[in-house]
Amino acid sequence: MALYRDEAVVLRTQKLGEADRIVTLLTRHHGRVRAVAKGVRRTSSRFGSRVEPFMHVDLQLAEGRTLDVITQVETLDAYAGRLGNDYGAYTCGTSMLESADRLVGEDGHPAAQQYLLLVGALRALADRRHPSGLILDSFLLRSLAIAGYAPSFDTCARCGLAGPHRSFNPGAGGMLCVDCRLPGSDNPAPETVLLLGALLSGLWPQAETSGDRTRREASALVASYLQWHLERGLRSLDYVDR
């Protein structure tokens, strides 16, 4: 069998047989990969703890007919241990893993931008660089943009008229002017629209001056935008403390 190496973040695992696991990975060069980790549920396993969710690893895989097989694993960073004692950070990280799994395209297709974004966001969470909720919402907006669903916050998403605008519609792609406004659109506060733009652009000094009410409204709009494009919400978002 042909062998290859890659860096990856473990997104999720599921049991296979009596001692194996199927591990879903977001890799740097091969996109999303599903691989078998043999014998990792045994206490004698050499690398069982290295293929758990949140682990950032360097690994070797053998190509298989349906699933590749993990043959070697080295830990680059153990984010699970660094996030496990902070409920807010841990639940935000869980939502990042789920969204990455859902937003990355077909298995095996390169997704380097999504990989680098996820690693950077997990590192920011683990280092407590910014409030967890802001890191999560920034990650979700940027991940959506990479996937081709970039929202518009400073111009009308339909006609391109420069803002600021008052109406937000996830199906239309973001903010809408008065002439383009659709029934059922939200009317977020101007401060919320500015926060959303800052999170998408990575303007952290501006984002961190926002108040709790503004952050909650922004989070709700990010969740609705994500749900629209995924066609269903993230289950893990229900556990994030807003």
Side-chain angles (χ1 to χ4, degrees):
M1 293 186 291
L3 301 176
Y4 66 95
R5 294 196 71 89
D6 210 338
E7 296 177 10
V9 174
V10 180
L11 302 180
R12 59 186 171 92
T13 65
Q14 62 189 93
K15 295 179 180 178
L16 178 66
E18 295 184 357
D20 304 340
R21 286 190 190 276
I22 296 175
V23 182
T24 301
L25 307 153
L26 178 56
T27 69
R28 182 167 194 154
H29 301 295
H30 297 82
R32 187 176 55 197
V33 171
R34 296 175 73 241
V36 176
K38 293 184 177 294
V40 293
R41 290 161 55 202
R42 297 192 182 101
T43 56
S44 59
S45 171
R46 293 179 294 115
F47 52 76
S49 62
R50 302 175 195 170
V51 287
E52 294 294 330
F54 289 108
M55 296 298 291
H56 183 205
V57 294
D58 180 283
L59 71 170
Q60 179 177 276
L61 302 99
E63 294 181 354
R65 289 185 178 179
T66 56
L67 294 172
D68 295 346
V69 178
I70 298 172
T71 59
Q72 294 180 13
V73 185
E74 297 295 334
T75 301
L76 298 176
D77 208 326
Y79 292 117
R82 298 172 63 189
L83 298 174
N85 61 352
D86 184 330
Y87 178 81
Y90 183 84
T91 53
C92 286
T94 300
S95 294
M96 291 178 185
L97 298 186
E98 185 182 354
S99 64
D101 191 13
R102 299 272 299 278
L103 282 170
V104 172
E106 188 176 346
D107 289 359
H109 285 235
Q113 285 184 290
Q114 292 283 13
Y115 166 82
L116 293 172
L117 178 66
L118 179 59
V119 171
L122 291 176
R123 184 177 296 122
L125 267 184
D127 292 343
R128 312 298 194 266
R129 295 180 188 174
H130 312 288
S132 299
L134 293 182
I135 295 174
L136 171 61
D137 288 335
S138 178
F139 169 83
L140 294 176
L141 289 173
R142 294 186 190 189
S143 185
L144 282 160
I146 292 171
Y149 308 122
S152 176
F153 297 123
D154 55 359
T155 62
C156 176
R158 300 190 76 184
C159 71
L161 181 68
H165 302 300
R166 289 300 311 276
S167 300
F168 177 86
N169 190 288
M175 302 303 296
L176 299 175
C177 67
V178 173
D179 293 335
C180 293
R181 186 184 188 280
L182 299 174
S185 297
D186 292 299
N187 294 300
E191 296 81 7
T192 302
V193 180
L194 289 174
L195 173 58
L196 290 168
L199 293 173
L200 179 60
S201 302
L203 301 176
W204 290 107
Q206 180 179 335
E208 291 185 329
T209 62
S210 59
D212 290 342
R213 183 175 180 178
T214 301
R215 295 180 187 186
R216 285 193 296 270
E217 185 175 35
S219 293
L221 295 179
V222 172
S224 69
Y225 193 81
L226 180 72
Q227 181 173 352
W228 174 270
H229 290 288
L230 291 181
E231 299 183 353
R232 59 186 175 90
L234 299 180
R235 290 182 298 173
S236 53
L237 272 182
D238 293 339
Y239 301 99
V240 175
D241 184 7
R242 299 296 194 180

